[in-house]
Amino acid sequence: MISPEQKMELLVSLCKRRGFVYPDSEIYGGFANAWDYGPYGVELKNNIRDAWWKRFVHGREDVIGIETPIIQHPKVWEASGHIATFSDPLVDCKKCHHRFRADQLETNHCPDCGGELTESRHFNLMFQTHIGVTQDASSIAYLRPETAAGMFTTWKNVRDSMRKKMPFGVAQIGRAFRNEITPGNFIFRTREFEQMEIEYFVKPEDAPRAFEAWLEEQKTWMTEVLHVDPSHVVYHEIAKEDRAFYSDRTIDTEYLYPFGQKELYGIANRTNYDLSRHQEFSGEDLRWFDQDTGERFLPYVIEPTWGLSRTVLVVLLEHFDIDEASTADGEDKEPRMVLRLPPRLAPVKVAILPLQKKDGLADTGRALARDLRQSGLIVEYDESGSIGKRYRRQDEIGTPWCVTIDYQTKDDQTVTVRDRDAMTQERIAMSDLKNVLQSKLA
Ligand code: ATP
């Protein structure tokens, strides 16, 4: 058994070695807490994002998608309350000058050197920039700290153009930026990250029921799509005194990371706070007209939120495993690292591996890879190195199936399909391969 710290270390090094996540700007000595998604990382992230959009937008009649800019009118952040209140309590150590979030400290002294800490002060987490050529107070703009605001600023246009019936939701996936005081733990907390959010607009009296329904959706997303073991997840009901003042109910979904139990997702009943603030600041009538009752009212909003970048981390942690495989000569066993990713999320679905380059095996393999690629599968072709090493590499990137072309293939047009998890081999006709793989992925 490996310790949680070792697991995290092994995962971070696997991510770099195998092209999932690299330290950013490494040629310049690195840029703390910024990460690059490599070729497999970006595929994994896109697969999660696409599964989410398919399930919650395309899969439902009552949710529609939008995309709004990262930099919006500065008034948006006044109305949302972010300029006034989106801050964390910051303290400095008077001795070593390290900075901490006061709400995350367990003692009154610096955890790094034991020095005395300053009084805490509010530190706004929004990144500021300037629009245009002048840099004065009138040109200040902000990078959005969450995607949700876009669903409120487009509310009037969506309401008037989309002919939806209440209740309905508006979804968005995109980047958000927070000048975090204490980023860290790999891609868990970074200053730039991606979110997948839904604002679900309901009649006030329906809000509690919609809250329960979306909480259930978050649970089944985790088990059915991410294949996360429910015993690794805790649903934390946030007490009244700890939640945002406008929230009627908040539940954080927390995951047991190697570095502790921390937030993965959240859900809140935001009442009509956002729409009422935007109505006040914009002067526009943002009420909904109920055709059945003839009433006009500001809907309540249930906001389930999913961090996409954190989901990538959780999927990697959840499916990282070490077991044993035979050595190249088959005489012995050696430890094997494997990502047991759900096939739908795996960056590469199938690897084509000819046993030898010679005797036409490579040509057969290349033609097969081309054929599978054309049918829409993500395929990798690899002909170099021992077959054992090639299997190990595919195991480490989570490829669910490896197809081997051998001498028998030349005689009877069959190939072997190796299963990543069971490590069993099945011989099937090459002409059946496409259908077999597609049905496994369905
Ligand atoms: P935390 O308590 O971890 O700071 P939060 O409560 O501020 O998170 P929300 O404002 O609810 O987070 O943001 C919604 C989601 O966005 C979170 O559940 C998380 O998945 C993700 N998220 C928030 N901040 C970050 C960050 N700095 N890096 C990566 N993901 C983040």
Side-chain angles (χ1 to χ4, degrees), residues 178 180 188-190 193 195 263-265 305 307 310:
R178 295 181 188 179
E180 299 276 5
F188 172 79
R189 190 185 299 285
T190 48
F193 56 96
Q195 294 183 315
E263 178 169 333
L264 168 60
Y265 301 144
T305 171
R310 271 188 204 174

Side-chain angles (χ1 to χ4, degrees), residues 190-222:
T190 48
R191 297 194 169 97
E192 178 176 343
F193 56 96
E194 284 176 84
Q195 294 183 315
M196 311 186 284
E197 296 195 294
I198 295 175
E199 305 302 317
Y200 197 73
F201 298 95
V202 291
K203 290 182 183 170
E205 62 271 27
D206 289 341
R209 200 167 19 168
F211 185 101
E212 291 294 340
W214 277 105
L215 181 61
E216 196 51 35
E217 289 292 342
Q218 287 194 315
K219 289 184 184 171
T220 51
W221 155 264
M222 265 190 295

Side-chain angles (χ1 to χ4, degrees), residues 90-101 105 108-121 181:
L90 170 71
V91 289
D92 292 278
C93 172
K94 291 181 182 168
K95 205 161 135 203
C96 72
H97 304 293
H98 288 176
R99 299 192 144 173
F100 307 95
R101 258 173 72 171
L105 289 179
N108 292 327
H109 294 286
C110 173
D112 290 349
C113 75
E116 194 189 335
L117 298 171
T118 59
E119 285 288 303
S120 92
R121 61 186 190 279
I181 296 169

Side-chain angles (χ1 to χ4, degrees), residues 105-166:
L105 289 179
E106 280 160 17
T107 59
N108 292 327
H109 294 286
C110 173
D112 290 349
C113 75
E116 194 189 335
L117 298 171
T118 59
E119 285 288 303
S120 92
R121 61 186 190 279
H122 288 293
F123 177 77
N124 195 295
L125 301 183
M126 278 200 296
F127 278 102
Q128 267 191 24
T129 187
H130 289 271
I131 302 284
V133 291
T134 52
Q135 295 214 349
D136 57 28
S138 68
S139 66
I140 290 178
Y142 301 91
L143 307 193
R144 67 179 175 199
E146 58 173 35
T147 57
M151 278 74 105
F152 300 118
T153 56
T154 51
W155 158 253
K156 182 168 180 282
N157 282 325
V158 168
R159 179 193 71 184
D160 297 347
S161 62
M162 294 308 293
R163 306 165 53 81
K164 298 304 283 183
K165 284 219 151 44
M166 182 105 0

